[in-house]
Amino acid sequence: MKVLVAVKRVVDYNVKVRVKADNSGVDLANVKMSMNPFCEIAVEEAVRLKEKGVASEIVVVTIGPTTAQEQLRTALALGADRAILVESADELNSLAVAKLLKAVVDKEQPQLVIMGKQAIDSDNNQTGQMLGALTGFAQGTFASKVEVAGDKVNVTREIDGGLQTVALSLPAIVTTDLRLNEPRYASLPNIMKAKKKPLETVTPADLGVSTASTVKTIKVEAPATRSAGIKVKSVAELVEKLKNEAKVI
């Protein structure tokens, strides 16, 4: 089984995001970039499937600038076999990304596509579902457990009020949730080996995909600063402040 894993380059989750002075977007100058945490979970799940003998090859793909090779090399160090960079400096929306991934799927013909349920920058939670619609593949979103059995994959999904298990016929798309696994750290020997693993670079034009967006970002701004809370000494004081200061009761 060939597994395709889609990953995204995002601002590291430990970094406090800054908005540009002109409110045109997020300031990425001299900011540490990392693999999206949900994508790390996707890579880990693919590697575990390979360790179980279920997957025979793991191909990792990302869409972004040349510097996104860093995240691909990280995925290769974690256990992926080869990587594909769809090089684009444009700000792509979810549909454009899904179209590019669909072209890669058509080219690679994987039996299973694994990707994070959402990226921590745009937080859209759209690409996996859009890719499922474009490819016609079965899809299991918000996966907390994945089990491959023959020509099917059983996915336990986290839904409102509990868990739901769905049986998907391969080929299928799975989007990962936080509780699916705990990603490993890349060892130094594997980091060195990753430098020699194949990394192919293509462009949207090579894939025959137009990435023209119908969505335009008008303004990006930081959330309003919240005032500090206060401590009260008694219930009576709390009620008094809610009634006379906050005026909510």
Side-chain angles (χ1 to χ4, degrees):
M1 174 192 290
K2 180 190 288 188
V3 179
L4 180 71
V5 183
V7 302
K8 186 177 183 182
R9 174 183 172 90
V10 298
V11 175
D12 188 272
Y13 67 91
N14 288 310
V15 174
K16 185 175 181 179
V17 175
R18 301 189 308 272
V19 176
K20 291 181 179 178
D22 61 358
N23 294 109
S24 62
V26 174
D27 186 3
L28 300 180
N30 301 314
V31 172
K32 181 182 178 183
M33 307 293 285
S34 300
M35 189 190 304
N36 179 48
F38 289 102
C39 299
E40 290 180 347
I41 295 171
V43 173
E44 174 66 24
E45 192 63 23
V47 172
R48 293 189 183 190
L49 289 174
K50 188 175 182 182
E51 290 173 344
K52 292 176 183 176
V54 175
S56 56
E57 183 183 24
I58 301 171
V59 182
V60 62
V61 58
T62 194
I63 302 163
T66 305
T67 47
Q69 290 187 24
E70 178 186 351
Q71 281 63 52
L72 290 177
R73 292 295 180 193
T74 299
L76 292 171
L78 291 171
D81 298 297
R82 56 189 178 89
I84 301 171
L85 169 63
V86 181
E87 192 169 1
S88 174
D90 298 332
E91 183 179 345
L92 304 177
N93 60 26
S94 299
L95 182 57
V97 171
K99 288 179 178 179
L100 290 168
L101 290 178
K102 199 263 185 183
V104 175
V105 168
D106 291 343
K107 175 185 174 185
E108 293 291 333
Q109 295 293 306
Q111 285 72 53
L112 183 62
V113 179
I114 308 179
M115 57 202 303
K117 70 170 185 176
Q118 65 195 76
I120 62 171
D121 52 2
S122 56
D123 236 18
N124 286 333
N125 179 23
Q126 294 177 332
T127 305
Q129 292 87 328
M130 288 178 172
L131 181 60
L134 292 172
T135 59
F137 287 5
Q139 59 176 299
T141 54
F142 320 128
S144 61
K145 187 176 181 181
V146 175
E147 293 179 316
V148 178
D151 62 347
K152 291 187 179 296
V153 54
N154 295 321
V155 178
T156 300
R157 305 178 59 237
E158 297 196 0
I159 61 172
D160 292 342
L163 300 174
Q164 177 189 57
T165 301
V166 293
L168 311 176
S169 298
L170 297 175
I173 297 168
V174 173
T175 70
T176 61
D177 214 330
L178 282 173
R179 281 155 289 279
L180 179 58
N181 60 52
E182 185 174 339
R184 70 193 68 189
Y185 292 99
S187 65
L188 182 58
N190 286 338
I191 292 173
M192 300 306 293
K193 291 177 184 176
K195 295 180 180 180
K196 297 181 180 180
K197 290 184 178 180
L199 194 158
E200 178 186 1
T201 300
V202 297
T203 64
D206 295 334
L207 297 173
V209 176
S210 171
T211 58
S213 177
T214 56
V215 178
K216 181 181 179 181
T217 300
I218 303 298
K219 185 179 182 182
V220 176
E221 57 185 351
T225 303
R226 297 175 62 180
S227 58
I230 61 172
K231 291 183 179 181
V232 295
K233 295 180 179 180
S234 66
V235 174
E237 185 182 354
L238 172 62
V239 172
E240 187 273 330
K241 288 186 177 294
L242 290 175
K243 184 176 181 180
N244 298 321
E245 294 184 18
K247 299 186 184 301
V248 294
I249 59 174

